[in-house]
Amino acid sequence: MLAYNSEENLSGSQNRRITWDGCSVLLDINDGDRVLFARLTAGSKIKIGDKNCSLQPLIGCPFGSSFQVEVGAGGPFLAPMIPNAEGNGLSEKTDDQTMEECRDNRALVDNNTAQSLTGEDIDGMRRKGATGDEIVQALIANSATFEKKTAFSQEKYRIKKQKKYAPRVLLRRPFARSICEAYFKKHAEKIGFLRVDTLSLLLSLANVTAHSNVLVFDMLDGIVTGSVAERMGGTGYVCNPHCGTTPLPISIVRMFNFSDETCKRILHASLTELQPSTGENSTSDDQLVDECNIKEQQNKDTLSSSAKDMVNMEENSTANMDTDNNVAASPKSAKTVKAGEKAPPETIKHWNENGFSSLIIAAPNLDAWDVAKDLVPLLAYSAPFVIYHQYLQPLATCMHNLQSNKMAINLQVSEPWLREYQVLPSRTHPHMQMSSSGGYLLSGTRISSSDQN
Amino acid sequence: MLPTDSTKTLSFKRCITEGDLVIVYERHDVMKAVQVSEKGVLQNRFGIFKHSDWIGKPFGSKIFSSKGGFVYLLAPTPELWTLVLSHRTQILYIADISFVVMYLEIVPGCVVLESGTGSGSLSTSLARAVAPHGHVYTFDFHEQRAASAREDFEHTGLSSLVTVGVRDIQGEGFPDEFSGRADSVFLDLPQPWLAIPSAAKMLQQDGVLCSFSPCIEQVQRSCETLKSSFTDIRTFEILLNTYEVREGHLPSWQDGDGVLASLKGCKKRQRSTNGQENSRPQTVLARRMGETRGHTGYLTFARLSCIR
Ligand SMILES: C[S@@+](CC[C@H](N)C(=O)[O-])C[C@H]1O[C@@H](n2cnc3c(N)ncnc32)[C@H](O)[C@@H]1O
C-alpha cells in the first residue's frame, strides 16, 4: 500500500516566502531583460553588465524584493530598494502624460552631441560616491534633447539610462510558472517550445492533484515532472518511465526548491517493470526488450543532445557564478534526498495492480503514437492522459490510432492561443509581438476494454 | 471527485457504487452528471439505462441501453464538471481556468479567496489545486447562487476544501479575518476595482491577484486601481483552438474517377471501387474547428508590492 499520510508541512519549504541559504531563486534583471536561476549562498556571485556582485545580501530577504547595483568602496554590490522611493516607474508618469500629449517629436534631431556628460565624467561621479539614480539624473540634466522629447520618450530615455547605470534585480520564487516562462523566453528549444499556457492546460487536462499517481514521460529535462510534483505537495507519486536502464535527465526539477518529501515522490521505473508480465499482453518479453533497445538507442541521441543543452543552460543561466563550489561547501544546501530515485518494488507492484491515475507524455522528438500505445494501457480505466507535441501531425495520427483501437474516448487536439496586452490610459492595445506557437495537446480518457456486453 | 478521499482513487479495481457521481458520456459534447442510485434510471436518445446495471462495473465502462445504444461512464474531474454543471451564471472554461491556477501560483496548502462564486466552475479547479490541506473561500452576494454552489460542492465531494460565503465583496470587501492570510485572490465581478483595495489587504507579501473581466473598460479601471499597491501588472487573453481530425483519401489527380468522386465529396464510393485506390494510402487530416469561442474575457494579474 502507499503511504498516504506524509503531507507537506504547510508552512514548510514549498511555500516559504523568505529566501534562505542554499535556496534556488530566479533573478529578473532590468524588468525581464534577463532572467536567470541562481542558488543563494554566501559566496555566490552574479555578473551584471561589467560588474560582479555577491548574492549574499539576498539571503533572508522576502521574495519580491528588488535590489539595485551600487558601487561602494569595496566594489559593486546589490543594495535593497525601497519600493515607494523609486518614483520613476513608467506607470506613475502616465497621468499627466495623457494631458500634455500635444507635444510631438518634430523638433527632435538625432545626433551624438545631445549628451554632454562623458564616460570619464560618470566614472568621476562614481568615485565620489554618486548613486546610480544620481547618475541617471545627471545624464538627464545634461541631455540637450530631453526637454523636447514627448513624455513617453522621456520615460523611455530614463529607463534606458537606469538599466545601464543602475541595473535592478528582482528576486522571484521559482514556480512552474516562472521557470517555464524563463526558459521559453531564452531557451525555448530546451523545453520543446512548451509555453506556459500550454503547460497549465496540460496539468489541468491530466487532472494532476494531491494523492495522484502520475506517469510522466518527460523528455523536456524535467520541467513537466517538476510542474506535476509542484501540484502534488509531497503526496502521491510521479513516475518517470524509461526504456532500458537509464532514466531520462530531469535537471530542471532542482530549480523548484522542493522539500525532501516532494523529492522522495519523484521516482523512475523501466517500462518492463511497469508492464504487467501476464500473458495478456500480445507482445512477448523478448520482443519487448528489443523494442526497448531500439528506443533506448533513439533516446540516447536525444539524451546526449539534451545533456549538452543542460550544460549550456548552466553556462548561460549561472553565467560567471561560482555557485557550484559553494553549494558543495554549504552544508545546509546539500540535499539529503534526491529527486528521481528508482521506484521500490512495492510501489511498482501498487502501480501494476491499480494503474496510474494520469499519464503525461512530453516527447517532442519521438512519435506520439509509438509512446502512447505502450503507456496508455498502464492507466486506470477512466483516467485522463495528455500528450504534448510541438507539431500537430504526430498528435493527429496518434488520435486517429487511439480511436481506431478503441483505447480512449473524449479525444481532442487543442492548441492554446495567448495574447498579452499593454494597458495604459488611452494607449491600450495588444503587444506588438507575440508567440504564435506554444505547442499542441492531445487529451483523452482511457476506457475499459472489456465492453463485450 | 478528488483522490484525497482514498476510497475514491481511480484504480483498475475501483468499481461504481451506489451514491457515486458519474459523468455519462455520449459524445465529447454531450455529457451529463448523474448520481448513481439503486433504483435510478437514465433515459436519453439511446433508450433506457438502469443504474443497477452500472453498479459493480469499473469506471470507463461502455454501457448498453435496452435498445442497444451505448454510453460511457466516467469518473468526474473538474474539467468534465465544468462541461456538465448547471449554468446559473456565465462561467470560466478550461483555458482561462488553467491559466489562472498556474499564474496565481496555487499549490497544495494555499489559501485562496474568490468572488463571485457564480456557478462554481472555477472554484472546483481551485479546490483541486489547494488540496489536500489548503482552502478556497468563495463569496457571492446572491444567496441562492451561493446555496446552489454549496450543494454542488457537497455533490462533488469538495465541501471540505471550499467554503461559500454570502457577502457583497464590492461593497464590504473580504472579511477581516483573512487579512494578510491569502496566497492568492481571484475576482470575477462587474466592478472589480471596488474590491481591489480589500484584496490587497488580504494578500500575503508577494501574493498574486487575478481579475477576470469581459470588457476592456473594466480592465482599464482595474489597472488604474492596481497601480497603488501592486507591481508586475499584466493583462492576457487566452483562447483555445481545437482540431478536427479524420482519415481521408486524397486521390491522384490522374485518377479521373477518383477526382470526380472527390468533387462530389462522396467518400463511400471512393472506397468501394474494389481496392484500386488503395495504392494511395489513407492520410490523417487535421484542421481547426470551423467555429470557436472568440472571446471570453481579459485576465489581469498583479503581485502585491513587497514592502520590506
Ligand atoms: C460571472 S459570475 C462568476 C462565475 C465563476 N467565475 C464561475 O466560473 O462559475 C459573477 C458572480 O459574481 C456575483 N457578484 C456580482 N457582484 C457581486 C458583489 N458585489 N459581491 C459578491 N458577488 C457578486 C454574481 O452574483 C455572480 O454570481
Side-chain angles (χ1 to χ4, degrees), chain B residues 282-295:
Chain B
Q282 296 274 317
T283 335
V284 176
L285 304 165
R287 67 156 195 170
R288 283 201 183 153
M289 293 290 192
E291 197 153 319
T292 182
R293 224 172 260 127
H295 180 66

Side-chain angles (χ1 to χ4, degrees), chain A residues 7 17 61 83 172 177 181 204 207 209 354 379 381-382 410 413 415 417 419-421 424 428 448, chain B residues 11-12 25 59-60 75 79 98 103 128 133 183 204-205 220 232 234-235 237 239 241 243 303 306:
Chain A
E7 264 108 31
R17 289 175 181 274
C61 291
R172 280 212 193 282
R177 159 188 166 178
E181 277 191 322
S204 291
N207 193 25
T209 182
N354 295 280
L379 274 176
Y381 305 128
S382 192
N410 205 14
V413 174
E415 177 198 20
W417 177 94
R419 174 174 250 181
E420 186 164 2
Y421 284 75
L424 287 171
T428 295
S448 155
Chain B
S11 134
F12 289 132
Y25 176 101
F59 275 99
E79 283 61 47
S98 311
Y103 247 66
R128 170 176 64 189
H133 296 306
D183 292 280
Q204 298 193 35
Q205 65 174 15
Q220 196 96 40
D232 202 8
R234 296 174 73 182
T235 300
E237 186 182 15
L239 295 171
N241 285 310
Y243 287 78
R303 198 181 284 277
C306 180

Side-chain angles (χ1 to χ4, degrees), chain B residues 191-243:
Chain B
Q191 297 160 294
W193 55 91
L194 296 176
I196 286 172
S198 162
K201 227 173 91 188
M202 301 302 126
L203 282 170
Q204 298 193 35
Q205 65 174 15
D206 208 35
V208 190
L209 169 133
C210 174
S211 174
F212 173 92
S213 298
C215 304
I216 200 74
E217 289 80 3
Q218 294 169 299
V219 175
Q220 196 96 40
R221 271 192 89 164
S222 304
C223 287
E224 278 299 299
T225 313
L226 284 169
K227 278 192 302 193
S228 61
S229 39
F230 289 84
T231 66
D232 202 8
I233 304 165
R234 296 174 73 182
T235 300
F236 296 94
E237 186 182 15
I238 180 166
L239 295 171
L240 212 54
N241 285 310
T242 50
Y243 287 78

Side-chain angles (χ1 to χ4, degrees), chain B residues 89 114-123 138-140 145-146 149 153 164-165:
Chain B
T89 61
E114 181 196 24
S115 184
T117 313
S119 309
S121 171
L122 175 68
S123 326
T138 179
F139 299 89
D140 204 298
R145 258 173 227 158
F153 299 138
V164 188

Side-chain angles (χ1 to χ4, degrees), chain A residues 187 189-190 221 249 251 300-316:
Chain A
H187 303 282
E189 70 289 351
K190 274 159 206 158
D221 204 18
S251 25
K300 265 197 193 129
D301 297 344
T302 32
L303 222 167
S304 55
S305 74
S306 83
K308 257 184 270 146
D309 288 349
M310 208 188 82
V311 178
N312 276 336
M313 182 65 190
E314 297 277 283
E315 249 168 39
N316 286 311

